[in-house]
Amino acid sequence: MVVIGSRVGGCAAAIPLARAGRRVIALDKMSFPSDQLSTHFLTPTGVTEFAKMGALRRILDECDPTRVHHINVAAEGIEALERMRPGDTGVDFGVCIPRDQLDVCLVATAREQGVDVREKSAFQALHWRAGRVSGVRYRDPEGQLRDISCRLVIGADGRRSTVAAAAGASRPYRMSRNGRGLVFRYATDPRAGEGGIETDTFYQWREGESFGLVFPIAPKGRMLVLFMGPREEVSEARADGEAYWQRKLAQHAGLRARVAGTDWTAASKIRSTADCTAFFRASSGPGWSLVGDAAHFKDPVTGQGMRDAMWMGRTLAERVLPHLDDPLATDRVTRAWERHRDEHCLPAYHFANLDTRVERQSPALCELVRDAGRTTGPDLTDVFSRARTPQQIAPLPRLIKMVAKAMVSGERPRRETIARAVPELRTELEIRRERWRGRFRETQLVFGSDHPDPEMPTPPAVLAIDDRDAHAGSTAAAPVGVAA
């Protein structure tokens, strides 16, 4: 097998295959360590994926992350502090690790478990034989073109996937425009060493049209501070980052109090992106499959990308392993896996789409946070840990009850409460109807969730190589290798 991309999704796919005795070659155009724009937020279910890869001990030892047990959500001044639900292996903490640290550990773990990871090796083309992918062409670190024959190619090469382009699947069949941008930086945590709840908590403040977040990260004593306002704010941050930063601190009083005493002159540079269009791609075909951001990307407002990439890689590998010696069976399994992937990821996709709308938090959501805040057990935070879907956390009777509470409380005008509740309930009904229909590669958009005018970059130019031509000598490359 050949895996293109050896970060979270690629390693998660490659490791189970190699562990089962298959020869696996993972190609990555980068060398490690290298950075990657990412929120790198993981709840216990994400950390559990590290454990299933066999990477957790190495990550804890080498990255030394703060082990976080709580999430605090604040909506328009109403707060809920919850302890996160443990994963299915008993892991009860989350972590936040910058990618230049994390990916080194994953690559080392993959090599330790038998994956042939080749850095500075850039994928160039797919080989085809009788309508099925039969191998890959890549450029090695010395610039030499080389070919590998294989039973299956897994693309884990990100949103601008060259594997997707080579397979003719670059254009997503479903897309949604993001309303929010991301602006963030790293700094020394002024609460480090105090041993209080603040350094054991992922914080999220939802105020007006803006989100503010603070995550303890690796190594211990550092933090990530992130603002997610309207995507147009990214231009402001790039024009005058420090002025933007001070304006956002003034906007989020709770965040400002949490980071009070930070020496911003010693903080990292400010980083940003407004390029966060959500999408689903066709992710399986004859002899190929896609995982991670190459397959499906949701708005990072919910911090689900890394966890989902690892889940995709692992579950794909587990499903194809018994069938790899039968090409037709392998292709049937990858298609069935893609359907399962969609069922698993659609609820989080819609949740992220709802959160990326630039608007004040609704009265019903504020009441939901208030209701959850009555205890410290896992409730709303299950949406981040993926223990339950948003629809399971807030079934229609609970949503209607929260609307009624908002009407009674009178904190917001009743007309506003009704005006927000009616379209929100319609959206929730359409999300449930879509799940009930269960259509494969659904293209019908959901009112209030899928946002119009998405932007996607031009797909990369790639070659398609018919092996009959290659054996005839029409392509120049080093001798063909084999990955079992």
Side-chain angles (χ1 to χ4, degrees):
M1 270 61 64
V2 174
V3 179
I4 309 300
S6 56
R7 295 184 186 268
V8 287
C11 285
I15 286 173
L17 296 170
R19 194 184 287 153
R22 295 287 180 171
R23 186 183 179 202
V24 184
I25 298 173
L27 307 176
D28 202 293
K29 64 182 179 181
M30 305 300 292
S31 61
F32 297 95
S34 66
D35 205 0
Q36 176 85 348
L37 194 66
S38 171
T39 54
H40 34 271
F41 158 86
L42 288 168
T43 63
T45 50
V47 179
T48 295
E49 294 295 338
F50 292 151
K52 291 178 179 179
M53 274 193 273
L56 181 56
R57 177 46 54 194
R58 182 192 298 272
I59 290 168
L60 295 178
D61 290 347
E62 297 184 12
C63 299
D64 191 29
T66 300
R67 303 187 191 191
V68 179
H69 298 86
H70 299 87
I71 294 180
N72 191 92
V73 177
E76 309 297 348
I78 302 168
E79 296 194 33
L81 174 68
E82 298 181 9
R83 188 175 182 92
M84 291 184 284
R85 191 182 300 275
D88 60 14
T89 63
V91 173
D92 66 349
F93 60 89
V95 296
C96 189
I97 306 173
R99 297 295 295 277
D100 57 347
Q101 302 172 47
L102 174 63
D103 292 346
V104 170
C105 292
L106 297 182
V107 168
T109 300
R111 285 179 167 141
E112 184 178 77
Q113 299 199 41
V115 180
D116 179 0
V117 181
R118 302 182 184 180
E119 301 176 44
K120 295 184 179 179
S121 297
F123 169 78
Q124 301 292 305
L126 292 174
H127 282 276
W128 296 83
R129 180 180 298 160
R132 191 175 192 275
V133 170
S134 58
V136 303
R137 171 165 294 180
Y138 74 99
R139 191 176 298 277
D140 72 13
E142 288 71 44
Q144 176 72 42
L145 288 173
R146 297 188 178 277
D147 293 316
I148 307 171
S149 294
C150 61
R151 289 179 170 84
L152 180 66
V153 174
I154 299 175
D157 52 338
R159 290 184 299 151
R160 295 169 176 81
S161 171
T162 51
V163 176
S170 188
R171 180 71 179 175
Y173 63 84
R174 185 173 189 171
M175 292 183 283
S176 179
R177 180 184 175 91
N178 60 295
R180 299 185 182 278
L182 293 83
V183 182
F184 68 95
R185 73 197 310 183
Y186 306 109
T188 298
D189 190 341
R191 303 287 176 266
E194 294 181 0
I197 189 69
E198 290 183 320
T199 55
D200 189 31
T201 303
F202 294 132
Y203 283 93
Q204 181 189 83
W205 290 270
R206 298 162 171 249
E207 293 161 320
E209 295 184 343
S210 181
F211 291 1
L213 304 97
V214 175
F215 300 153
I217 65 167
K220 291 185 180 77
R222 299 282 289 172
M223 65 179 178
L224 167 69
V225 182
L226 167 66
F227 294 111
M228 302 189 73
R231 57 183 289 164
E232 293 77 17
E233 287 187 355
V234 170
S235 298
E236 177 191 351
R238 291 174 178 173
D240 190 340
E242 295 303 330
Y244 169 85
W245 200 257
Q246 293 304 315
R247 182 176 75 78
K248 298 302 285 187
L249 288 173
Q251 184 176 358
H252 291 281
L255 186 151
R256 185 173 68 251
R258 168 65 179 84
V259 302
T262 301
D263 180 4
W264 296 112
T265 63
S268 72
K269 68 177 182 179
I270 295 173
R271 303 181 65 183
S272 61
T273 183
D275 179 16
C276 301
T277 293
F279 62 82
F280 282 92
R281 279 193 179 107
S283 301
S284 60
W288 63 271
S289 192
L290 304 175
V291 299
D293 289 353
H296 159 57
F297 180 80
K298 63 181 66 64
D299 193 291
V301 67
T302 56
Q304 297 294 302
M306 286 176 53
R307 179 267 174 197
D308 276 2
M310 292 187 286
W311 178 89
M312 286 186 226
R314 175 180 59 82
T315 56
L316 174 65
E318 290 171 349
R319 288 199 173 205
V320 300
L321 262 171
H323 308 281
L324 285 170
D325 294 321
D326 182 339
L328 292 179
T330 297
D331 296 344
R332 285 195 297 269
V333 168
T334 59
R335 188 174 178 87
W337 169 85
E338 182 186 345
R339 176 184 284 276
H340 176 59
R341 186 276 316 270
D342 290 353
E343 293 171 351
H344 183 78
C345 292
L346 265 171
Y349 166 81
H350 288 304
F351 177 65
N353 285 349
L354 298 178
D355 261 2
T356 198
R357 296 180 300 189
V358 179
E359 58 189 11
R360 187 182 182 191
Q361 299 301 289
S362 73
L365 186 138
C366 291
E367 289 301 326
L368 190 60
V369 173
R370 193 195 311 275
D371 190 51
R374 301 181 193 281
T375 69
T376 58
D379 184 6
L380 295 185
T381 54
D382 277 349
V383 75
F384 300 110
S385 67
R386 305 294 283 280
R388 293 182 293 161
T389 69
Q391 289 68 45
Q392 291 170 326
I393 294 168
L396 289 175
R398 189 180 188 187
L399 285 178
I400 293 170
K401 182 179 179 182
M402 294 306 106
V403 173
K405 283 191 171 185
M407 296 279 286
V408 171
S409 74
E411 292 184 8
R412 306 262 279 273
R414 290 188 175 183
R415 181 173 296 179
E416 178 188 352
T417 299
I418 294 171
R420 292 292 299 274
V422 170
E424 286 175 355
L425 288 172
R426 176 184 169 184
T427 299
E428 287 298 326
L429 287 171
E430 289 202 12
I431 291 171
R432 287 162 170 79
R433 187 179 300 117
E434 176 187 63
R435 190 170 184 84
W436 176 79
R437 286 195 307 262
R439 294 174 181 167
F440 185 51
R441 296 180 183 170
E442 175 68 87
T443 58
Q444 183 174 330
L445 304 184
V446 168
F447 167 84
S449 175
D450 295 283
H451 307 307
D453 304 318
E455 300 173 352
M456 284 293 289
T458 302
V462 292
L463 296 174
I465 303 172
D466 189 311
D467 276 358
R468 292 172 299 180
D469 297 331
H471 292 310
S474 63
T475 54
V480 176
V482 177

